[in-house]
Amino acid sequence: MRVITPNIPEAEILLGRKIAGQEELPQVARELSFGRKVSVLLKAGHLHDTELIDVLRLDTPNTHGTGCTLSSAVAAFLAHGLPLDEAVVCAKEYINAAIIAGAEYEIGKGHGPVHHFFNFWE
């Protein structure tokens, strides 16, 4: 797996243009990874927005079922008694880890599954 970790000034050099704000980061990450078979961790620290969120875009086709998995994980964490905001944070952490764990799978054609049981397998 290949990954690049540009900060904002580095991403601007790679793109050949300025990045105006946080709302552009998902598109910038897509542009930086397009056609390169590389994941992108775009670090937002050089922006001057009030809230800075780093963006991670993984280069993997194995994202089938992520929406259903996320909503099921939220429900599971709620069933464990977590408040809604914590349940959502935990669910997002879970689906992120499941995508990373399954990123290298080559199962069939098209979009493959995430690794739902990553924390039980070695």
Side-chain angles (χ1 to χ4, degrees), residues 9-46:
E10 293 164 342
E12 289 174 337
I13 290 169
L14 291 170
L15 291 174
R17 67 175 174 82
K18 290 287 186 190
I19 298 169
Q22 181 75 44
E23 68 283 348
E24 285 189 56
L25 296 190
Q27 177 59 33
V28 167
R30 279 189 294 277
E31 290 177 38
L32 291 172
S33 68
F34 182 73
R36 292 181 181 88
K37 297 288 288 174
V38 63
S39 299
V40 178
L41 173 57
L42 185 55
K43 300 174 292 188
H46 286 83

Side-chain angles (χ1 to χ4, degrees), residues 27-82:
Q27 177 59 33
V28 167
R30 279 189 294 277
E31 290 177 38
L32 291 172
S33 68
F34 182 73
R36 292 181 181 88
K37 297 288 288 174
V38 63
S39 299
V40 178
L41 173 57
L42 185 55
K43 300 174 292 188
H46 286 83
L47 292 177
H48 300 289
D49 293 4
T50 56
E51 181 180 7
L52 299 177
I53 301 169
D54 297 335
V55 172
L56 174 64
R57 183 184 194 289
L58 296 173
D59 178 45
T60 179
N62 298 333
T63 56
H64 186 76
T66 53
C68 296
T69 300
L70 178 63
S71 60
S72 297
V74 170
F77 285 115
L78 287 171
H80 279 277
L82 271 63

